[in-house]
Amino acid sequence: PLIDVDDLEEFAIRPAPQGVTVKCRITRDKKGMDRGMYPTYYLHLEREHGKKVFLLAGRKRKKSKTSNYLISIDPTDLSRGGESFIGKLRSNLMGTKFTVYDNGVNPMKTTSSLEASILRQELAAICYETNVLGFKGPRKMSVIIPGMSMDHERVSIRPRNEHETLLARWQNKNTESVIELHNKTPVWNDDTQSYVLNFHGRVTQASVKNFQIIHDNDPDYIVMQFGRVAEDVFTMDYNYPMCALQAFAIALSSFDSKLACE
């Protein structure tokens, strides 16, 4: 089934069609003045015969206290005020927890009681935990995304304060309208002396950043997977109920997470 990406903005936040794995790749561009401090990441949809379709670009903002990535549907315009700004990924000070927003309005920055519909939505939260082995082994990720309605529409989560955020709901075990996902625990392989996951040929290089995201109820259903195929090339595949913006932002958080340096 051909995945329709004519309207990039609409496509980026639309959940993957059920039963279809959306296969993408991320390229990291370290060229330019900043020498790899602020690389630009490009997400492309893979089509047959090696064709690629541009979907999203992301880059870390320079003057931000915490990691803050802008995500755009225009590979040349990564500005906050641009027409193409579609969402952002923001970390806490520790670089262990991240939140993904769409391009709506930040409730803290407005004085009037705005209509709910223009407040920003939270599309995902990602938490990295050190494992019991410290840094010697796979890290643990929890991914919290809004739940789906009976009509397969994403539940709209537009927090007005700290208590309504995805992270707060998850920490308070108030998981009524959210879905909690985790990374699949890799298995130790004696031959390679490393932890491994089966990516079915989609990942060719071992890296601590490779991961698969699953729901505890169905560990064989891979909601998202990400892994390295070359120095600056990664594959990123996602399935229902995830959308491109969620998956891309989760991948960006894994490049950034302070717990990734093992």
mmCIF file of all heavy atoms in Angstrom, residues 13 56-61 64 66-72 78-80 84-91 98-107 109 120-126 245-246 248-250 252-253:
data_model
loop_
_atom_site.group_PDB
_atom_site.id
_atom_site.type_symbol
_atom_site.label_atom_id
_atom_site.label_comp_id
_atom_site.label_asym_id
_atom_site.label_seq_id
_atom_site.Cartn_x
_atom_site.Cartn_y
_atom_site.Cartn_z
ATOM 1 N N ILE A 13 1.832 13.848 11.553
ATOM 2 C CA ILE A 13 1.154 13.572 12.828
ATOM 3 C C ILE A 13 0.061 12.512 12.699
ATOM 4 O O ILE A 13 -0.628 12.196 13.654
ATOM 5 C CB ILE A 13 0.573 14.862 13.457
ATOM 6 C CG1 ILE A 13 -0.403 15.537 12.521
ATOM 7 C CG2 ILE A 13 1.685 15.824 13.856
ATOM 8 C CD1 ILE A 13 -1.144 16.688 13.163
ATOM 9 N N LEU A 56 10.954 14.921 7.329
ATOM 10 C CA LEU A 56 11.172 15.882 8.413
ATOM 11 C C LEU A 56 12.659 16.178 8.590
ATOM 12 O O LEU A 56 13.503 15.358 8.241
ATOM 13 C CB LEU A 56 10.642 15.308 9.747
ATOM 14 C CG LEU A 56 9.139 15.053 9.867
ATOM 15 C CD1 LEU A 56 8.851 14.217 11.118
ATOM 16 C CD2 LEU A 56 8.364 16.359 9.906
ATOM 17 N N ALA A 57 12.939 17.350 9.136
ATOM 18 C CA ALA A 57 14.313 17.686 9.519
ATOM 19 C C ALA A 57 14.297 18.155 10.964
ATOM 20 O O ALA A 57 13.308 18.729 11.428
ATOM 21 C CB ALA A 57 14.860 18.797 8.616
ATOM 22 N N GLY A 58 15.374 17.897 11.682
ATOM 23 C CA GLY A 58 15.443 18.324 13.085
ATOM 24 C C GLY A 58 16.832 18.828 13.424
ATOM 25 O O GLY A 58 17.827 18.318 12.913
ATOM 26 N N ARG A 59 16.879 19.849 14.278
ATOM 27 C CA ARG A 59 18.181 20.331 14.733
ATOM 28 C C ARG A 59 18.064 20.927 16.121
ATOM 29 O O ARG A 59 17.060 21.534 16.469
ATOM 30 C CB ARG A 59 18.748 21.371 13.776
ATOM 31 C CG ARG A 59 20.232 21.618 14.069
ATOM 32 C CD ARG A 59 20.890 22.552 13.067
ATOM 33 N NE ARG A 59 20.340 23.890 13.173
ATOM 34 C CZ ARG A 59 20.265 24.732 12.145
ATOM 35 N NH1 ARG A 59 20.639 24.352 10.943
ATOM 36 N NH2 ARG A 59 19.791 25.935 12.327
ATOM 37 N N LYS A 60 19.119 20.778 16.888
ATOM 38 C CA LYS A 60 19.147 21.301 18.245
ATOM 39 C C LYS A 60 19.292 22.821 18.213
ATOM 40 O O LYS A 60 20.087 23.350 17.431
ATOM 41 C CB LYS A 60 20.356 20.693 18.934
ATOM 42 C CG LYS A 60 20.333 20.729 20.429
ATOM 43 C CD LYS A 60 21.628 20.085 20.890
ATOM 44 C CE LYS A 60 21.467 19.460 22.232
ATOM 45 N NZ LYS A 60 22.615 18.722 22.665
ATOM 46 N N ARG A 61 18.531 23.492 19.043
ATOM 47 C CA ARG A 61 18.677 24.949 19.150
ATOM 48 C C ARG A 61 19.924 25.285 19.936
ATOM 49 O O ARG A 61 20.261 24.608 20.896
ATOM 50 C CB ARG A 61 17.460 25.547 19.860
ATOM 51 C CG ARG A 61 16.193 25.390 19.072
ATOM 52 C CD ARG A 61 15.046 26.084 19.766
ATOM 53 N NE ARG A 61 15.117 27.523 19.595
ATOM 54 C CZ ARG A 61 14.167 28.349 20.045
ATOM 55 N NH1 ARG A 61 13.116 27.870 20.666
ATOM 56 N NH2 ARG A 61 14.273 29.644 19.859
ATOM 57 N N SER A 64 19.829 27.247 24.069
ATOM 58 C CA SER A 64 18.806 26.726 24.968
ATOM 59 C C SER A 64 19.479 26.076 26.173
ATOM 60 O O SER A 64 20.489 25.391 26.025
ATOM 61 C CB SER A 64 17.976 25.703 24.197
ATOM 62 O OG SER A 64 16.805 25.422 24.872
ATOM 63 N N THR A 66 18.367 23.692 28.056
ATOM 64 C CA THR A 66 18.219 22.236 27.975
ATOM 65 C C THR A 66 18.222 21.860 26.499
ATOM 66 O O THR A 66 18.107 22.718 25.643
ATOM 67 C CB THR A 66 16.886 21.794 28.596
ATOM 68 O OG1 THR A 66 15.830 22.470 27.899
ATOM 69 C CG2 THR A 66 16.817 22.130 30.065
ATOM 70 N N SER A 67 18.361 20.571 26.225
ATOM 71 C CA SER A 67 18.327 20.147 24.826
ATOM 72 C C SER A 67 16.950 20.449 24.254
ATOM 73 O O SER A 67 15.934 20.073 24.827
ATOM 74 C CB SER A 67 18.604 18.659 24.730
ATOM 75 O OG SER A 67 19.928 18.417 25.084
ATOM 76 N N ASN A 68 16.955 21.110 23.125
ATOM 77 C CA ASN A 68 15.702 21.574 22.546
ATOM 78 C C ASN A 68 15.850 21.461 21.034
ATOM 79 O O ASN A 68 16.655 22.161 20.436
ATOM 80 C CB ASN A 68 15.509 23.033 22.980
ATOM 81 C CG ASN A 68 14.131 23.546 22.665
ATOM 82 O OD1 ASN A 68 13.399 22.957 21.890
ATOM 83 N ND2 ASN A 68 13.781 24.670 23.259
ATOM 84 N N TYR A 69 15.121 20.525 20.443
ATOM 85 C CA TYR A 69 15.227 20.303 19.002
ATOM 86 C C TYR A 69 14.001 20.852 18.302
ATOM 87 O O TYR A 69 12.870 20.560 18.712
ATOM 88 C CB TYR A 69 15.291 18.802 18.704
ATOM 89 C CG TYR A 69 16.586 18.153 19.104
ATOM 90 C CD1 TYR A 69 16.843 17.821 20.426
ATOM 91 C CD2 TYR A 69 17.561 17.862 18.152
ATOM 92 C CE1 TYR A 69 18.034 17.221 20.795
ATOM 93 C CE2 TYR A 69 18.756 17.267 18.514
ATOM 94 C CZ TYR A 69 18.987 16.943 19.835
ATOM 95 O OH TYR A 69 20.161 16.354 20.198
ATOM 96 N N LEU A 70 14.234 21.606 17.241
ATOM 97 C CA LEU A 70 13.128 22.049 16.401
ATOM 98 C C LEU A 70 12.964 21.053 15.269
ATOM 99 O O LEU A 70 13.945 20.583 14.687
ATOM 100 C CB LEU A 70 13.416 23.424 15.802
ATOM 101 C CG LEU A 70 13.436 24.577 16.795
ATOM 102 C CD1 LEU A 70 13.611 25.887 16.054
ATOM 103 C CD2 LEU A 70 12.157 24.618 17.612
ATOM 104 N N ILE A 71 11.708 20.744 14.949
ATOM 105 C CA ILE A 71 11.427 19.782 13.878
ATOM 106 C C ILE A 71 10.586 20.482 12.820
ATOM 107 O O ILE A 71 9.605 21.168 13.137
ATOM 108 C CB ILE A 71 10.714 18.541 14.453
ATOM 109 C CG1 ILE A 71 11.622 17.874 15.495
ATOM 110 C CG2 ILE A 71 10.359 17.561 13.334
ATOM 111 C CD1 ILE A 71 10.982 16.767 16.291
ATOM 112 N N SER A 72 11.003 20.333 11.565
ATOM 113 C CA SER A 72 10.418 21.113 10.482
ATOM 114 C C SER A 72 10.068 20.209 9.299
ATOM 115 O O SER A 72 10.696 19.163 9.098
ATOM 116 C CB SER A 72 11.426 22.174 10.037
ATOM 117 O OG SER A 72 11.045 22.755 8.822
ATOM 118 N N LEU A 78 14.781 25.686 9.510
ATOM 119 C CA LEU A 78 14.635 25.106 10.841
ATOM 120 C C LEU A 78 14.500 26.211 11.876
ATOM 121 O O LEU A 78 15.092 26.163 12.942
ATOM 122 C CB LEU A 78 15.830 24.211 11.144
ATOM 123 C CG LEU A 78 15.682 22.843 10.460
ATOM 124 C CD1 LEU A 78 17.007 22.307 9.988
ATOM 125 C CD2 LEU A 78 15.033 21.850 11.412
ATOM 126 N N SER A 79 13.684 27.211 11.554
ATOM 127 C CA SER A 79 13.516 28.321 12.500
ATOM 128 C C SER A 79 12.213 28.151 13.275
ATOM 129 O O SER A 79 11.254 27.563 12.781
ATOM 130 C CB SER A 79 13.479 29.646 11.743
ATOM 131 O OG SER A 79 12.359 29.669 10.888
ATOM 132 N N ARG A 80 12.207 28.694 14.484
ATOM 133 C CA ARG A 80 11.051 28.560 15.368
ATOM 134 C C ARG A 80 9.831 29.295 14.799
ATOM 135 O O ARG A 80 8.701 28.871 14.955
ATOM 136 C CB ARG A 80 11.421 29.136 16.736
ATOM 137 C CG ARG A 80 10.319 29.125 17.776
ATOM 138 C CD ARG A 80 10.076 27.708 18.290
ATOM 139 N NE ARG A 80 9.118 27.687 19.380
ATOM 140 C CZ ARG A 80 7.803 27.738 19.215
ATOM 141 N NH1 ARG A 80 7.288 27.876 18.020
ATOM 142 N NH2 ARG A 80 7.004 27.661 20.263
ATOM 143 N N SER A 84 7.193 26.282 8.514
ATOM 144 C CA SER A 84 7.369 24.834 8.415
ATOM 145 C C SER A 84 7.579 24.159 9.765
ATOM 146 O O SER A 84 7.677 22.947 9.840
ATOM 147 C CB SER A 84 8.576 24.531 7.536
ATOM 148 O OG SER A 84 8.521 25.317 6.387
ATOM 149 N N PHE A 85 7.697 24.953 10.825
ATOM 150 C CA PHE A 85 7.901 24.417 12.178
ATOM 151 C C PHE A 85 6.703 23.532 12.526
ATOM 152 O O PHE A 85 5.561 23.960 12.473
ATOM 153 C CB PHE A 85 8.011 25.595 13.152
ATOM 154 C CG PHE A 85 7.968 25.203 14.603
ATOM 155 C CD1 PHE A 85 8.985 24.461 15.170
ATOM 156 C CD2 PHE A 85 6.898 25.595 15.414
ATOM 157 C CE1 PHE A 85 8.947 24.105 16.512
ATOM 158 C CE2 PHE A 85 6.854 25.241 16.754
ATOM 159 C CZ PHE A 85 7.889 24.499 17.300
ATOM 160 N N ILE A 86 6.976 22.264 12.845
ATOM 161 C CA ILE A 86 5.852 21.351 13.090
ATOM 162 C C ILE A 86 5.858 20.783 14.505
ATOM 163 O O ILE A 86 4.856 20.307 15.012
ATOM 164 C CB ILE A 86 5.857 20.216 12.042
ATOM 165 C CG1 ILE A 86 4.573 19.411 12.134
ATOM 166 C CG2 ILE A 86 7.092 19.352 12.179
ATOM 167 C CD1 ILE A 86 4.424 18.371 11.073
ATOM 168 N N GLY A 87 7.015 20.865 15.173
ATOM 169 C CA GLY A 87 7.031 20.316 16.523
ATOM 170 C C GLY A 87 8.403 20.469 17.144
ATOM 171 O O GLY A 87 9.345 20.936 16.509
ATOM 172 N N LYS A 88 8.508 20.073 18.423
ATOM 173 C CA LYS A 88 9.810 20.147 19.054
ATOM 174 C C LYS A 88 9.959 19.084 20.126
ATOM 175 O O LYS A 88 8.976 18.520 20.623
ATOM 176 C CB LYS A 88 10.062 21.530 19.618
ATOM 177 C CG LYS A 88 9.243 21.881 20.819
ATOM 178 C CD LYS A 88 9.711 23.236 21.334
ATOM 179 C CE LYS A 88 9.225 23.467 22.732
ATOM 180 N NZ LYS A 88 9.701 24.742 23.261
ATOM 181 N N LEU A 89 11.211 18.850 20.442
ATOM 182 C CA LEU A 89 11.575 17.871 21.462
ATOM 183 C C LEU A 89 12.369 18.628 22.505
ATOM 184 O O LEU A 89 13.296 19.347 22.174
ATOM 185 C CB LEU A 89 12.468 16.800 20.821
ATOM 186 C CG LEU A 89 13.178 15.854 21.790
ATOM 187 C CD1 LEU A 89 12.211 14.839 22.359
ATOM 188 C CD2 LEU A 89 14.336 15.150 21.089
ATOM 189 N N ARG A 90 12.007 18.449 23.756
ATOM 190 C CA ARG A 90 12.638 19.227 24.817
ATOM 191 C C ARG A 90 13.071 18.292 25.943
ATOM 192 O O ARG A 90 12.296 17.427 26.340
ATOM 193 C CB ARG A 90 11.542 20.141 25.334
ATOM 194 C CG ARG A 90 11.976 21.055 26.419
ATOM 195 C CD ARG A 90 11.912 22.425 25.920
ATOM 196 N NE ARG A 90 12.963 23.178 26.530
ATOM 197 C CZ ARG A 90 12.818 24.426 26.877
ATOM 198 N NH1 ARG A 90 11.677 25.012 26.649
ATOM 199 N NH2 ARG A 90 13.806 25.068 27.413
ATOM 200 N N SER A 91 14.257 18.504 26.494
ATOM 201 C CA SER A 91 14.686 17.620 27.582
ATOM 202 C C SER A 91 14.626 18.353 28.920
ATOM 203 O O SER A 91 14.561 19.573 28.965
ATOM 204 C CB SER A 91 16.119 17.140 27.354
ATOM 205 O OG SER A 91 17.036 18.124 27.766
ATOM 206 N N PHE A 98 12.394 13.503 28.220
ATOM 207 C CA PHE A 98 12.124 14.346 27.055
ATOM 208 C C PHE A 98 10.620 14.408 26.808
ATOM 209 O O PHE A 98 9.900 13.447 27.077
ATOM 210 C CB PHE A 98 12.769 13.746 25.798
ATOM 211 C CG PHE A 98 14.270 13.739 25.822
ATOM 212 C CD1 PHE A 98 14.962 12.772 26.531
ATOM 213 C CD2 PHE A 98 14.999 14.696 25.129
ATOM 214 C CE1 PHE A 98 16.352 12.758 26.554
ATOM 215 C CE2 PHE A 98 16.388 14.688 25.148
ATOM 216 C CZ PHE A 98 17.067 13.724 25.858
ATOM 217 N N THR A 99 10.174 15.546 26.276
ATOM 218 C CA THR A 99 8.776 15.674 25.875
ATOM 219 C C THR A 99 8.721 16.152 24.427
ATOM 220 O O THR A 99 9.535 16.991 24.018
ATOM 221 C CB THR A 99 8.019 16.663 26.785
ATOM 222 O OG1 THR A 99 8.121 16.207 28.138
ATOM 223 C CG2 THR A 99 6.537 16.725 26.420
ATOM 224 N N VAL A 100 7.771 15.598 23.678
ATOM 225 C CA VAL A 100 7.582 15.974 22.277
ATOM 226 C C VAL A 100 6.291 16.775 22.163
ATOM 227 O O VAL A 100 5.237 16.324 22.624
ATOM 228 C CB VAL A 100 7.459 14.717 21.393
ATOM 229 C CG1 VAL A 100 7.369 15.115 19.918
ATOM 230 C CG2 VAL A 100 8.621 13.759 21.646
ATOM 231 N N TYR A 101 6.386 17.959 21.563
ATOM 232 C CA TYR A 101 5.221 18.827 21.386
ATOM 233 C C TYR A 101 4.930 19.028 19.905
ATOM 234 O O TYR A 101 5.850 18.967 19.078
ATOM 235 C CB TYR A 101 5.488 20.223 21.971
ATOM 236 C CG TYR A 101 5.863 20.238 23.427
ATOM 237 C CD1 TYR A 101 7.192 20.300 23.823
ATOM 238 C CD2 TYR A 101 4.880 20.185 24.417
ATOM 239 C CE1 TYR A 101 7.546 20.317 25.171
ATOM 240 C CE2 TYR A 101 5.227 20.203 25.765
ATOM 241 C CZ TYR A 101 6.552 20.266 26.132
ATOM 242 O OH TYR A 101 6.894 20.283 27.464
ATOM 243 N N ASP A 102 3.664 19.337 19.591
ATOM 244 C CA ASP A 102 3.377 19.813 18.241
ATOM 245 C C ASP A 102 3.656 21.315 18.198
ATOM 246 O O ASP A 102 4.303 21.870 19.079
ATOM 247 C CB ASP A 102 1.943 19.449 17.812
ATOM 248 C CG ASP A 102 0.877 20.240 18.564
ATOM 249 O OD1 ASP A 102 1.214 21.094 19.410
ATOM 250 O OD2 ASP A 102 -0.318 20.003 18.294
ATOM 251 N N ASN A 103 3.143 22.013 17.196
ATOM 252 C CA ASN A 103 3.489 23.431 17.057
ATOM 253 C C ASN A 103 2.454 24.374 17.669
ATOM 254 O O ASN A 103 2.385 25.545 17.316
ATOM 255 C CB ASN A 103 3.702 23.781 15.583
ATOM 256 C CG ASN A 103 2.489 23.397 14.740
ATOM 257 O OD1 ASN A 103 1.469 22.982 15.276
ATOM 258 N ND2 ASN A 103 2.601 23.524 13.437
ATOM 259 N N GLY A 104 1.657 23.864 18.604
ATOM 260 C CA GLY A 104 0.676 24.725 19.272
ATOM 261 C C GLY A 104 1.321 25.681 20.268
ATOM 262 O O GLY A 104 2.542 25.731 20.420
ATOM 263 N N VAL A 105 0.485 26.424 20.974
ATOM 264 C CA VAL A 105 0.959 27.483 21.879
ATOM 265 C C VAL A 105 1.283 26.921 23.264
ATOM 266 O O VAL A 105 0.541 26.110 23.810
ATOM 267 C CB VAL A 105 -0.155 28.557 22.018
ATOM 268 C CG1 VAL A 105 0.248 29.631 23.010
ATOM 269 C CG2 VAL A 105 -0.455 29.172 20.656
ATOM 270 N N ASN A 106 2.385 27.373 23.829
ATOM 271 C CA ASN A 106 2.781 26.989 25.184
ATOM 272 C C ASN A 106 1.858 27.698 26.185
ATOM 273 O O ASN A 106 1.803 28.919 26.215
ATOM 274 C CB ASN A 106 4.233 27.422 25.407
ATOM 275 C CG ASN A 106 4.737 27.105 26.806
ATOM 276 O OD1 ASN A 106 3.955 26.822 27.719
ATOM 277 N ND2 ASN A 106 6.040 27.162 26.983
ATOM 278 N N PRO A 107 1.114 26.936 27.027
ATOM 279 C CA PRO A 107 0.156 27.557 27.951
ATOM 280 C C PRO A 107 0.822 28.498 28.955
ATOM 281 O O PRO A 107 0.198 29.417 29.463
ATOM 282 C CB PRO A 107 -0.487 26.368 28.660
ATOM 283 C CG PRO A 107 0.463 25.237 28.479
ATOM 284 C CD PRO A 107 1.148 25.468 27.168
ATOM 285 N N LYS A 109 3.108 30.590 28.301
ATOM 286 C CA LYS A 109 3.524 31.845 27.671
ATOM 287 C C LYS A 109 2.338 32.727 27.313
ATOM 288 O O LYS A 109 2.473 33.730 26.650
ATOM 289 C CB LYS A 109 4.310 31.528 26.394
ATOM 290 C CG LYS A 109 5.635 30.868 26.698
ATOM 291 C CD LYS A 109 6.654 31.098 25.615
ATOM 292 C CE LYS A 109 8.027 30.644 26.083
ATOM 293 N NZ LYS A 109 8.663 29.718 25.184
ATOM 294 N N ARG A 120 -0.676 23.768 22.700
ATOM 295 C CA ARG A 120 0.119 22.699 22.108
ATOM 296 C C ARG A 120 -0.277 21.337 22.666
ATOM 297 O O ARG A 120 -0.680 21.211 23.823
ATOM 298 C CB ARG A 120 1.596 22.965 22.343
ATOM 299 C CG ARG A 120 2.003 22.926 23.789
ATOM 300 C CD ARG A 120 3.461 23.305 23.933
ATOM 301 N NE ARG A 120 3.881 23.208 25.328
ATOM 302 C CZ ARG A 120 5.057 23.648 25.757
ATOM 303 N NH1 ARG A 120 5.902 24.221 24.920
ATOM 304 N NH2 ARG A 120 5.397 23.514 27.031
ATOM 305 N N GLN A 121 -0.145 20.344 21.829
ATOM 306 C CA GLN A 121 -0.378 18.964 22.254
ATOM 307 C C GLN A 121 0.951 18.331 22.647
ATOM 308 O O GLN A 121 1.983 18.614 22.039
ATOM 309 C CB GLN A 121 -0.914 18.126 21.101
ATOM 310 C CG GLN A 121 -2.344 18.366 20.742
ATOM 311 C CD GLN A 121 -2.826 17.265 19.801
ATOM 312 O OE1 GLN A 121 -2.972 16.117 20.209
ATOM 313 N NE2 GLN A 121 -3.068 17.612 18.561
ATOM 314 N N GLU A 122 0.902 17.477 23.637
ATOM 315 C CA GLU A 122 2.055 16.627 23.925
ATOM 316 C C GLU A 122 1.863 15.328 23.155
ATOM 317 O O GLU A 122 0.824 14.678 23.282
ATOM 318 C CB GLU A 122 2.153 16.341 25.427
ATOM 319 C CG GLU A 122 2.589 17.555 26.214
ATOM 320 C CD GLU A 122 3.050 17.216 27.622
ATOM 321 O OE1 GLU A 122 3.083 16.017 27.992
ATOM 322 O OE2 GLU A 122 3.373 18.163 28.362
ATOM 323 N N LEU A 123 2.850 14.986 22.358
ATOM 324 C CA LEU A 123 2.719 13.802 21.504
ATOM 325 C C LEU A 123 3.465 12.597 22.053
ATOM 326 O O LEU A 123 3.182 11.472 21.690
ATOM 327 C CB LEU A 123 3.228 14.117 20.097
ATOM 328 C CG LEU A 123 2.363 15.136 19.339
ATOM 329 C CD1 LEU A 123 3.015 15.490 18.020
ATOM 330 C CD2 LEU A 123 0.963 14.584 19.096
ATOM 331 N N ALA A 124 4.446 12.849 22.928
ATOM 332 C CA ALA A 124 5.182 11.722 23.519
ATOM 333 C C ALA A 124 6.051 12.236 24.648
ATOM 334 O O ALA A 124 6.412 13.411 24.688
ATOM 335 C CB ALA A 124 6.072 11.037 22.472
ATOM 336 N N ALA A 125 6.371 11.327 25.562
ATOM 337 C CA ALA A 125 7.381 11.606 26.583
ATOM 338 C C ALA A 125 8.317 10.402 26.600
ATOM 339 O O ALA A 125 7.876 9.272 26.385
ATOM 340 C CB ALA A 125 6.739 11.809 27.947
ATOM 341 N N ILE A 126 9.595 10.663 26.795
ATOM 342 C CA ILE A 126 10.581 9.585 26.786
ATOM 343 C C ILE A 126 11.424 9.695 28.049
ATOM 344 O O ILE A 126 11.909 10.774 28.378
ATOM 345 C CB ILE A 126 11.519 9.682 25.555
ATOM 346 C CG1 ILE A 126 10.708 9.805 24.257
ATOM 347 C CG2 ILE A 126 12.407 8.447 25.460
ATOM 348 C CD1 ILE A 126 10.782 11.133 23.579
ATOM 349 N N LEU A 245 6.223 12.033 13.367
ATOM 350 C CA LEU A 245 6.779 13.040 14.266
ATOM 351 C C LEU A 245 7.154 12.426 15.618
ATOM 352 O O LEU A 245 8.224 12.706 16.168
ATOM 353 C CB LEU A 245 5.770 14.187 14.455
ATOM 354 C CG LEU A 245 6.186 15.333 15.369
ATOM 355 C CD1 LEU A 245 7.505 15.954 14.941
ATOM 356 C CD2 LEU A 245 5.103 16.422 15.405
ATOM 357 N N GLN A 246 6.293 11.560 16.135
ATOM 358 C CA GLN A 246 6.613 10.894 17.405
ATOM 359 C C GLN A 246 7.892 10.063 17.264
ATOM 360 O O GLN A 246 8.808 10.162 18.075
ATOM 361 C CB GLN A 246 5.464 9.961 17.829
ATOM 362 C CG GLN A 246 4.225 10.675 18.341
ATOM 363 C CD GLN A 246 3.030 9.722 18.460
ATOM 364 O OE1 GLN A 246 2.842 8.841 17.629
ATOM 365 N NE2 GLN A 246 2.226 9.908 19.492
ATOM 366 N N PHE A 248 10.315 10.105 15.004
ATOM 367 C CA PHE A 248 11.522 10.891 14.721
ATOM 368 C C PHE A 248 12.030 11.568 15.990
ATOM 369 O O PHE A 248 13.231 11.560 16.286
ATOM 370 C CB PHE A 248 11.198 11.927 13.641
ATOM 371 C CG PHE A 248 12.378 12.751 13.172
ATOM 372 C CD1 PHE A 248 13.589 12.155 12.837
ATOM 373 C CD2 PHE A 248 12.259 14.133 13.037
ATOM 374 C CE1 PHE A 248 14.677 12.925 12.380
ATOM 375 C CE2 PHE A 248 13.334 14.900 12.586
ATOM 376 C CZ PHE A 248 14.542 14.303 12.261
ATOM 377 N N ALA A 249 11.126 12.129 16.774
ATOM 378 C CA ALA A 249 11.526 12.808 18.011
ATOM 379 C C ALA A 249 12.107 11.810 19.014
ATOM 380 O O ALA A 249 13.075 12.120 19.720
ATOM 381 C CB ALA A 249 10.338 13.549 18.617
ATOM 382 N N ILE A 250 11.543 10.614 19.083
ATOM 383 C CA ILE A 250 12.083 9.589 19.987
ATOM 384 C C ILE A 250 13.508 9.228 19.552
ATOM 385 O O ILE A 250 14.416 9.097 20.370
ATOM 386 C CB ILE A 250 11.167 8.346 20.006
ATOM 387 C CG1 ILE A 250 9.823 8.697 20.670
ATOM 388 C CG2 ILE A 250 11.840 7.177 20.736
ATOM 389 C CD1 ILE A 250 8.717 7.674 20.426
ATOM 390 N N LEU A 252 15.566 11.224 17.912
ATOM 391 C CA LEU A 252 16.423 12.369 18.261
ATOM 392 C C LEU A 252 16.795 12.332 19.745
ATOM 393 O O LEU A 252 17.931 12.631 20.123
ATOM 394 C CB LEU A 252 15.712 13.693 17.950
ATOM 395 C CG LEU A 252 15.523 14.048 16.479
ATOM 396 C CD1 LEU A 252 14.726 15.351 16.348
ATOM 397 C CD2 LEU A 252 16.859 14.178 15.765
ATOM 398 N N SER A 253 15.841 11.934 20.587
ATOM 399 C CA SER A 253 16.145 11.891 22.029
ATOM 400 C C SER A 253 17.220 10.855 22.305
ATOM 401 O O SER A 253 18.035 11.011 23.204
ATOM 402 C CB SER A 253 14.877 11.560 22.839
ATOM 403 O OG SER A 253 14.579 10.169 22.780
#
